[in-house]
Amino acid sequence: MAEMDTARGAEGDEVLHPGSSSGGNQAWFDRACRVIPGGVDSPVRSFTSVGGTPYTVARGEGAFVWDVEGNRYIDLVQSYGAVILGHAHPAVRAAIDLASACGTTFGAPTVGEVLLAEAICARVPGCDQVRLVSSGTEATMSAIRVARGFTGRDQVVKFDGCYHGHADALLAGGGSGVATLGLPGSAGVPASAVADTLVVPYNSVPELDEKVACVIVEPVAANMGLVPPSPGFLQALRDACDAVGALLIFDEVITGFRVGYGGASARLDVRPDLWCFGKVIGGGLPVGAFGGRREVLGVLAPQGNVYQAGTLSGNPLATAAGLAVLGVMDAGLYGELEARAAWFAASLQAAMDEAGLVASVPSMGPLVGLFFGDDPREDFPVRHFAAARRSASTGVYAKFFKEMLGRGVALPPGPYEVMFPGIAHDEALLGQVVDRAGEAATAVSARVS
Ligand SMILES: *Cc1c(COP(=O)(O)O)cnc(C)c1O
């Protein structure tokens, strides 16, 4: 049973029976479906793979969201990682207010974009320059164009189950929503657009040749559930790229400034040639960035002949929000967050084991995954997409999701996503999630067996 926000400032622990309310979520979703395809602006938000009607969010604060019926949820979605400080954080709100009073977009250089670019480069060893864009999709699409322009080659190697946004060339073998909907790729993408995209299994080093412009990888895969890199995998990839003169691209749209102060490359000590960022660096507003060595980015117009542009790129509101987030997230806070997430993952694992559900709860920094299986020795740990798919095919995630939502905990509505505990999820709150997970797992276990 989800919790009701009974009054302004109330603790919100009054119990509301699902279905006993006005049906506001259904009404809003019906209205959405009339004017928005599928009722959502991004497919992963739909409840296609878990069943039921999505809750329509009225507001969020810290670790919580409230839907239009007043139900309160402990939110582990956190905009798929775009939010790390919790919803409506005072520092972010203040920064946006201040920026908005000075104008929202100009089509000329601004101070905010310089400060955000400096902050990113200062935190990521080897990243000399970044160009700001408005989404992660734009970042990866542009990084690939730079890699092709720089090398004069066409082929792109990507890993099965890694998601790099929805640009044509990168939609083959995608994780996240593409995987959730069971699409091999996407209709509307001509074969010619993916003819130079090679898809290979995660955590094995592919054989490369001199036709390859770049290898793009999520250094910690977080769009097929959470699949950390095997020891040595990223360094071996670095070496394989160097051997044939291909560029290595780390898509750090999720991992950037989340798995550590300098993101995955700094944490795992492997340097790509190009980085893609998004999510955290926008503080919940639309931002992406791609960056790399000065020499490589030199191919971009106006200096070079690789074209890339954006009317709203480096938007003052978004850069202000991003800077506010990076300003709060000092090295100590990453340590705290990681320690809490590790405790949360271990406690969740114990709760699953106790309930008799075959599950694996991996974690990496503050990222926490959840896989279900049939046989723990055969199915875990999950190291590649085929194994993630096998886990998803058990169908247990959907059952668990529903039990958790009914207990006031919002997990991502699909088995290929991860949980995003952030600064606002303190240990007491994560403890509540663990307790409810134990109840939910017991309920699912009773139905599965
Ligand atoms: C979310 C995501 C993207 C796409 O970013 P958008 O802002 O949704 O376009 C790209 N790569 C990874 C790893 C992501 O998680």
Side-chain angles (χ1 to χ4, degrees), residues 157-164 171-175 179 183-184 198-203 216-218 221 223-224 227 383-389:
V157 174
K158 80 171 285 286
F159 293 89
D160 203 15
C162 283
Y163 179 68
H164 304 296
L171 264 185
L183 303 175
L198 309 175
V199 183
V200 296
Y202 194 74
N203 269 329
I216 184 167
V217 65
E218 287 184 72
N223 284 287
M224 51 172 145
V227 183
R383 297 209 186 283
H384 47 63
F385 192 38
R389 236 181 340 230

Side-chain angles (χ1 to χ4, degrees), residues 131-146 163-168 170 216 251 253 275-278 286-291 300 307-315:
R131 184 167 275 179
L132 301 179
V133 292
S134 299
S135 69
T137 293
E138 273 184 84
T140 56
M141 185 179 83
S142 305
I144 276 178
R145 188 175 303 153
V146 165
Y163 179 68
H164 304 296
H166 64 95
D168 279 0
L170 292 171
I216 184 167
D251 179 350
V253 171
W275 284 259
C276 303
F277 300 110
V287 183
F290 61 101
L300 277 170
Y307 190 73
Q308 185 279 333
T311 302
L312 295 176
S313 291
N315 177 263

Side-chain angles (χ1 to χ4, degrees), residues 391-409:
S391 164
S393 74
T394 60
V396 178
Y397 188 89
K399 296 187 178 83
F400 184 71
F401 170 88
K402 264 182 246 172
E403 293 290 341
M404 289 297 273
L405 194 67
R407 288 172 172 80
V409 180

Side-chain angles (χ1 to χ4, degrees), residues 21-31 53-57 67-71 73:
S21 60
S22 68
N25 285 316
Q26 190 63 52
W28 278 105
F29 192 60
D30 289 346
R31 279 174 73 170
T53 303
Y55 53 91
T56 294
V57 173
D67 69 16
V68 289
E69 297 171 15
N71 301 308
Y73 304 95

